[in-house]
Amino acid sequence: MRLLVAVALVLGGVAGLPAAPAAAADCPPSGGAAIPAATAAGDVVFRGGGWGHGLGMSQYGAQGAARLGCSADQILTRYYASTAVVTRPMPASVRLRMLDNGYRVDVQAVQGTLTWLLTGCVPPAPTPAPTATATPAVTTPTPSPTTTPTGPPCPPAQPPGSRWQLRLDDATHSQFVLWDLGVIPRKQLWQGGSAAVPLRLQESGSVAHLTTWRGASVYLERWVRWDWTRFSVDGALLDAVQQIDTTDNGAAMDKYLWGIAEVPASFPAAALQAQAVAARTFAAKRADRVLMPTPADQNWTGWKKETEGTNGAWGLKWKAAVDATSGRVVADAASGALIDAFYSSSMGGHTEDERYVWGVEAPFLRAVDDSTWDAASSNPAEKRSWATGVTWATLAARLGFASISTVSVPPRGAESRVAGVMVVGIKNGALTTSYVDGWDVRQALGLLSPGFTIAMRRTGGPAAQPLVGDWDGDGIDQVGWFRAGQVALQMTGSGGGWVKRFRYGAAGDVAVVGDWDGDGDDDLGVYRAGRWLLRTGLTGGAPTKTVVFGRPGDRPVVGSWTGKRLGLGVVRGRTWLLRRSLTSGVAQRRFGFGRVGDVPLVGSWDGSARTGIGVERDGRWLLRNRRSAGPAGIVVTFGRAADRPVVGDWDGDGTAAPAVVRGQAFLLRAGLAADAGTRTLTFRG
């Protein structure tokens, strides 16, 4: 299924067009079912449903409704508030953009002969009849000479099965040239026309397979039957527009809709009819412009859709739905004005309000619970319910904040949801509260739809980051906190435990720990949008060393990848990029491990000098001693989905072990073995 937006226009009433299909008597309510929630790992988890913009009619929801006995009119008027399906006259022509500023068109005559037309061209002179051998009895006067026609030669007809190519001439790029691709080398067949005299390809029931090119890439591949293609010169490039007209073969709008490939023709008849009405509404709205035959407007494949299935059975079923609703569109029940009849693949059990999605007022595009209809459809499980987890750093970078402490949105269907997604954080140096449209969040994070809710894995955002490091060089790691540039470390010594506090970094930074100078105890640094600001010694002040590596949204890691010296790394999605030293530059090792949304971890899992890699996913720790793609060699179950994982050497044996932070408590695990004990350390900082 493809995302699609459809819009409609009032064109005035007309008598004698088909009446609306009869309404079903037992159409059940659209909502009330429970949709299972998907899960994912991450600091912030977006749990959603559907695929597309989430507005108007759900194509899968319409399928489910039809399966439950609803009519096309009932489907449409449920998804579009306060509307009716009405009859309107349709435009006499529909135009489609087949090529825009391209350089070539490949034309295959799939069925029948294709006629090429050029205004003002001169057809070939007729072959003179053979002269008689006998001498005529009567001498006839010699006719006066006639004017010889002038103009470019007419292009030849293209026979069935042939494959030709249309380009502009190589010298001036101002005339059309037809080449025969069926011979090697290719053969020039004809040249003529100009920017002032376009070239036309007449199909009128014959079928042409057009492959249009822009640059070195295919622009479109479509099968055209109705009715002709106009080629024009735009500067030194080619344009092509397909025009479908009302003729004896049918109405222009219906012939156009026969080629719409938006839903499978295996859908029930009522769902197909609802789709035909919505698609017709879209095209009628844009009768004065050239449509794109792609999901940018509506996905149109032409003759390929008409002949879909064994012996064209599916194509005939789709055409029947178009013909049964000929002239039918969606309008405001009170005024008769046609509406913005948006639709998309699936909604995951609930449509959205346009005020939430795009910040636009549209009284017909209100949130609708369609969970019962969706549950009765064949909507794929991964589209019906999905989840995506992101880190606080990624969320801040994608939404234009230095850091984010809170992000939230009201439940689907709530009136308060129309305000958008609330984001609180640091932006341009100030604490800012913003409301972001659902569509903008979807685009920024690459989500399937704006139909989501939000769960924060932890509160406080990046301003409260747990730290682990060997602060005094005794071989045993201690803990600490980093809060928006405020550092608090738990220290040990002969006088007992004490807390060391200082300032380093700022809100939005991610703290990193490592022995930058090799003196045996760990130091602190911060990662700031691709810059590592490292400071030797646990004190405030200016960075001792600045390294450039990574980019905004990456998750930093520190380890001895070779076992000889400390290096840097970042994790981008599921891709690990490592450098073998504390220097600027490009990644010296790149590989994939884990999934997007996992929490990356590093440590010496086997007690060697080399640092291993790992990820934590909802309480499962997948650890690998080698720094490369491959399976996890060690799997540990520890903690809960809401915990925050950290790693440390808690007993000084040289081996890293898991820990989780739950509130202000650090739960430290003695080792990687299944029966390893745990102890709890509470440190508020």
Side-chain angles (χ1 to χ4, degrees), residues 244-340:
I244 303 173
D245 294 327
T246 296
T247 65
D248 292 341
N249 291 318
M253 181 61 69
D254 290 345
K255 290 194 291 185
Y256 161 70
L257 292 176
W258 292 344
I260 289 289
E262 279 295 337
V263 295
S266 59
F267 276 19
L272 298 180
Q273 291 172 10
Q275 176 63 58
V277 172
R280 181 179 293 107
T281 304
F282 178 91
K285 172 70 174 180
R286 291 159 174 77
D288 60 346
R289 52 155 279 197
V290 181
L291 296 172
M292 285 298 298
T294 70
D297 281 333
Q298 299 190 119
N299 191 44
W300 181 90
T301 58
W303 180 78
K304 186 177 181 181
K305 179 65 177 181
E306 291 185 48
T307 56
E308 186 179 45
T310 304
N311 297 322
W314 291 127
L316 290 173
K317 186 180 178 185
W318 168 243
K319 289 175 68 176
V322 172
D323 295 344
T325 61
S326 185
R328 307 291 290 172
V329 286
V330 185
D332 176 12
S335 67
L338 300 194
I339 69 159
D340 289 341

Side-chain angles (χ1 to χ4, degrees), residues 107-195:
V107 182
Q108 182 178 3
V110 176
Q111 184 174 291
T113 299
L114 301 177
T115 303
W116 292 84
L117 302 173
L118 183 72
T119 302
C121 69
V122 178
T127 303
T131 55
T133 56
T135 303
V138 179
T139 302
T140 57
T142 303
S144 44
T146 58
T147 304
T148 302
T150 60
C154 291
Q158 184 171 346
S162 61
R163 192 162 64 93
W164 290 6
Q165 186 179 96
L166 176 68
R167 302 176 73 123
L168 298 180
D169 68 284
D170 294 333
T172 65
H173 302 286
S174 61
Q175 284 195 318
F176 303 104
V177 181
L178 281 172
W179 297 88
D180 186 350
L181 300 181
V183 295
I184 300 175
R186 65 178 184 173
K187 175 184 177 183
Q188 180 172 326
L189 300 171
W190 173 85
Q191 180 171 335
S194 66

